[in-house]
Amino acid sequence: MRRAAVLGKGALAAHACEVIAGLPNTVLDTVVPNADEPEWDVRLTDVVAERWPETRIVGSGDWRELEPGRCDLVFSVLYDRIIGRSLIDATKMIVNCHPGRLPQYRGARPVNWALLNGESIHGVTIHAIDKGIDSGPVFAQALFSIWPEIDEVRDVWERSMRHARLLISDTLPRLERIAPCPQAEERAVTHYMRENHLLGERADWTRATSVDGP
């Protein structure tokens, strides 16, 4: 029996738990919710406690509480910490679902940066986790249209989550049969949290608007 762990937050991580729990010869062994679960999304802790009461929940949100080698599959979905080499090296398959197109939008807030840059295409990506930031080989990617002139961050985020749900459903059952493709490093761009102040009006869910009188 293969043991699996899910790390992350919200409805998308809950969907990944559901898909993984339904895989043949697989048990959802451990879930590591983000330590600070957002109020604007479902609480992964609550979903897991209700749906899979035998699954261990790591309340601290710290990946280091996962015993190295315990789980054959570790799947990260909007997880808010960088996973270290001790877990990467000890796990047969350790994979991330990133809400951005790779390699062009590695790192933090890919939706915000794509809109700020005026992109017409965005994407979500499932890739292997390595020692870099969103730099591992790609298992699957879904691309879709966005319209920076009219889309807000919230619009593209919600669209990303819809595409990510389908990508997770399609990819996880086939994961061991997919040969991941290395990313093109010459096209790679990584954004860091320390750069968030450069996002300007794209820093929040919606752009600030002013209503002038007639």
Side-chain angles (χ1 to χ4, degrees):
M1 183 68 70
R2 178 175 65 166
R3 289 186 288 198
V6 173
L7 297 70
K9 69 178 181 183
L12 189 61
H15 175 68
C17 289
E18 183 176 6
V19 173
I20 287 172
L23 295 176
N25 301 315
T26 303
V27 60
L28 183 61
D29 181 84
T30 306
V31 170
V32 185
N34 289 7
D36 295 320
E37 298 194 62
E39 296 180 359
W40 47 265
D41 205 341
V42 302
R43 282 177 51 83
L44 182 60
T45 300
D46 296 340
V47 174
V48 173
E50 179 180 351
R51 295 283 307 278
W52 303 282
E54 296 181 359
T55 296
R56 177 190 175 214
I57 299 174
V58 178
S60 68
D62 192 340
W63 63 267
R64 288 170 293 189
E65 291 195 36
L66 279 174
E67 177 187 344
R70 176 179 177 85
C71 293
D72 305 292
L73 170 64
V74 172
F75 192 61
S76 169
V77 191
L78 310 178
Y79 187 54
D80 61 354
R81 302 192 188 195
I82 296 175
I83 297 171
R85 290 299 299 267
S86 60
L87 185 60
I88 294 171
D89 292 342
T91 306
K92 181 180 178 182
M93 298 197 77
I94 183 163
V95 183
N96 181 48
C97 182
H98 178 67
R101 182 164 49 126
L102 295 179
Q104 295 92 334
Y105 285 92
R106 295 177 179 175
R109 298 198 176 189
V111 169
N112 306 62
W113 285 107
L115 285 169
L116 182 68
N117 292 340
E119 299 280 10
S120 61
I121 299 292
H122 193 58
V124 292
T125 310
I126 292 177
H127 66 94
I129 294 175
D130 62 11
K131 63 181 181 180
I133 297 175
D134 301 321
S135 57
V138 171
F139 287 96
Q141 187 173 80
L143 302 179
F144 51 91
S145 296
I146 63 174
W147 298 273
E149 299 83 3
I150 57 177
D151 275 334
E152 300 292 351
V153 170
R154 185 186 301 276
D155 300 323
V156 179
W157 177 262
E158 291 175 351
R159 207 172 301 146
S160 298
M161 295 301 98
R162 292 197 298 271
H163 283 277
R165 282 179 65 90
L166 182 59
L167 196 65
I168 287 170
S169 296
D170 286 346
T171 306
L172 284 181
R174 301 168 173 84
L175 197 59
E176 292 182 310
R177 292 177 286 166
I178 299 172
C181 297
Q183 296 185 38
E185 287 298 322
E186 68 274 10
R187 294 191 285 122
V189 178
T190 304
H191 292 289
Y192 300 91
M193 293 295 289
R194 62 177 179 267
E195 300 173 324
N196 285 351
H197 67 284
L198 301 174
L199 286 167
E201 65 178 3
R202 291 302 193 177
D204 212 335
W205 285 117
T206 59
R207 287 168 287 192
T209 59
S210 60
V211 179
D212 297 324

